[in-house]
Amino acid sequence: MKILIAVHHWFRLWNAPPWLAPRLQERFPEHTFTQIASLESLSKELEDTDILIGYQLRPEQFAHARRLKYIHTTTAAVHQLMFPELIASDVRITNSAEIHGRVVAEHAMALIFALAKAIPASVRYQIKSEWGQQELWNRTPPREVAGATLLVIGLGSIGNEVARLATALGMHVIAIREHLERGAGHADEVYAPQELDRLLARADYVVLAAPLTGKTEALFDKCTFARMQKTAFFINVSRGPLVDEDALATALREEVIAGAALDVFPVEPLPAESPLWKLDNLLITPHTAALTDRLWERHSARITENLSRYFAGQPLLGEVDKRRGY
């Protein structure tokens, strides 16, 4: 079989390292591994490709992939692949959600601590060489995390790890997930998505870790933020389109909620003219939640495991339900 590695991004870490194809070739010498550094030749390469390792594929490119049987994405999200032709095909898809889960969860917890302890405000005083103790206490008094209620929306690999870490810190974790039959995981309570409005009023912190689907796009809008407590913090480490940015900006300016932290945005990089940059009660990280120096070692291990399973006819790890979109 021909296995094509086609991962290209302007951000260096997202690109497959040059050692990946040779390492896989050594592990599976009976197959052929091809790694391309750009996507210019993707359509041509797909003509005789059996397995694609990558996440960038458009319908017109997929039309060339007549032999394609399996795609392993190096992303947790797969919404970019959910076009009708691919959904209707027999091509199987696995994602890398478990690769990113623990790392993104750590970042979410860091954001919770930063908001709770007023770290962004402290940094602003430091930049001005000001001892802002009294001003900080008057404006954004630090809080204790233990004993607070955390609402986690989405209980996949990221959300469940957030729940585990938060529980260890003494937080009470309530969660929303699509499939209640899968249990509460590390959360103390779990509910269906229909309970969101009621649960928002209970939460001191809300972490959004749900996949992007037709049901979740713009999940957080003006009405959603209005149902949160005025003292609550909102954190998004999933996908930008789940949040109406204008509604969030208004909620922060009018202090409908106490503050927020965003790692993802509908348009990335976030445009310099975006009003979000100027909001004192918003902490922005530039889509760094999944960054780790161990990223491609983890990818390599997962790709190797899933290829072994695929060639042996065994169940694949992280297989996507194309009809559900995750």
Side-chain angles (χ1 to χ4, degrees):
M1 288 188 179
K2 175 184 173 181
I3 297 91
L4 176 64
I5 302 171
V7 183
H8 178 71
H9 198 275
W10 62 265
F11 180 55
R12 189 178 308 154
L13 183 64
W14 292 157
N15 292 283
W19 51 258
L20 183 59
R23 180 182 293 188
L24 293 171
Q25 187 68 73
E26 183 177 0
R27 174 63 179 80
F28 304 101
E30 66 275 26
H31 301 287
T32 301
F33 288 82
T34 301
Q35 186 166 336
I36 56 177
S38 77
L39 301 180
E40 293 180 5
S41 62
L42 181 57
S43 294
K44 181 65 176 176
E45 291 287 352
L46 282 170
E47 290 178 359
D48 58 349
T49 291
D50 299 283
I51 297 173
L52 172 64
I53 298 171
Y55 65 92
Q56 296 145 303
L57 184 65
R58 300 192 302 269
E60 61 269 25
Q61 295 167 328
F62 180 63
H64 293 264
R66 297 177 182 87
R67 285 175 45 178
L68 190 63
K69 305 174 186 68
Y70 168 38
I71 300 172
H72 175 78
T73 74
T74 52
T75 58
V78 294
H79 60 273
Q80 70 280 5
L81 297 176
M82 294 298 104
F83 49 85
E85 297 88 341
L86 184 49
I87 293 173
S89 74
D90 293 328
V91 176
R92 300 170 70 180
I93 301 174
T94 56
N95 68 13
S96 298
E98 292 184 13
I99 299 296
H100 300 293
R102 177 162 295 188
V103 180
V104 176
E106 288 181 0
H107 191 86
M109 297 308 300
L111 296 177
I112 288 175
F113 273 117
L115 294 171
K117 304 303 179 182
I119 301 300
S122 297
V123 171
R124 285 193 291 272
Y125 285 118
Q126 178 182 348
I127 291 172
K128 296 185 292 184
S129 302
E130 292 184 14
W131 188 260
Q133 185 182 49
Q134 187 63 56
E135 292 81 0
L136 188 149
W137 177 254
N138 293 342
R139 176 64 177 170
T140 54
R143 312 176 187 178
E144 296 182 22
V145 170
T149 297
L150 168 64
L151 171 59
V152 178
I153 301 171
L155 208 55
S157 60
I158 296 171
N160 197 41
E161 182 66 10
V162 169
R164 185 185 73 83
L165 295 172
T167 299
L169 292 169
M171 302 183 81
H172 182 78
V173 181
I174 53 180
I176 287 177
R177 75 182 314 170
E178 184 77 23
H179 301 285
L180 291 179
E181 70 275 8
R182 297 179 183 174
H186 291 288
D188 298 294
E189 308 172 38
V190 65
Y191 299 92
Q194 292 77 11
E195 299 292 323
L196 175 62
D197 291 349
R198 179 177 67 84
L199 297 176
L200 286 170
R202 293 179 55 189
D204 300 299
Y205 301 86
V206 176
V207 171
L208 184 53
L212 176 58
T213 67
K215 294 180 180 179
T216 60
E217 188 168 1
L219 177 65
F220 273 77
D221 57 16
K222 178 181 178 179
C223 294
T224 317
F225 290 118
R227 293 186 178 98
M228 293 176 60
Q229 300 184 55
K230 287 181 66 66
T231 55
F233 290 117
F234 172 77
I235 296 112
N236 185 14
V237 291
S238 53
R239 284 291 177 264
L242 275 72
V243 178
D244 181 332
E245 284 188 354
D246 291 337
L248 174 61
T250 299
L252 291 171
R253 277 195 299 266
E254 297 179 358
E255 298 185 353
V256 174
I257 60 176
L262 302 177
D263 185 62
V264 289
F265 304 86
V267 177
E268 297 184 1
L270 182 65
E273 63 272 16
S274 171
L276 296 180
W277 290 112
K278 300 185 183 301
L279 295 170
D280 286 345
N281 52 351
L282 174 63
L283 173 57
I284 291 173
T285 55
H287 205 150
T288 55
L291 305 193
T292 168
D293 56 353
R294 299 168 59 189
L295 178 67
W296 280 99
E297 287 295 337
R298 289 178 172 170
H299 273 313
S300 176
R302 173 51 66 94
I303 292 168
T304 300
E305 175 65 23
N306 260 348
L307 286 178
S308 297
R309 288 169 173 259
Y310 184 82
F311 296 142
Q314 298 172 347
L316 301 175
L317 301 177
E319 183 147 17
V320 171
D321 184 333
K322 293 189 292 183
R323 296 296 174 182
R324 290 195 172 104
Y326 58 91

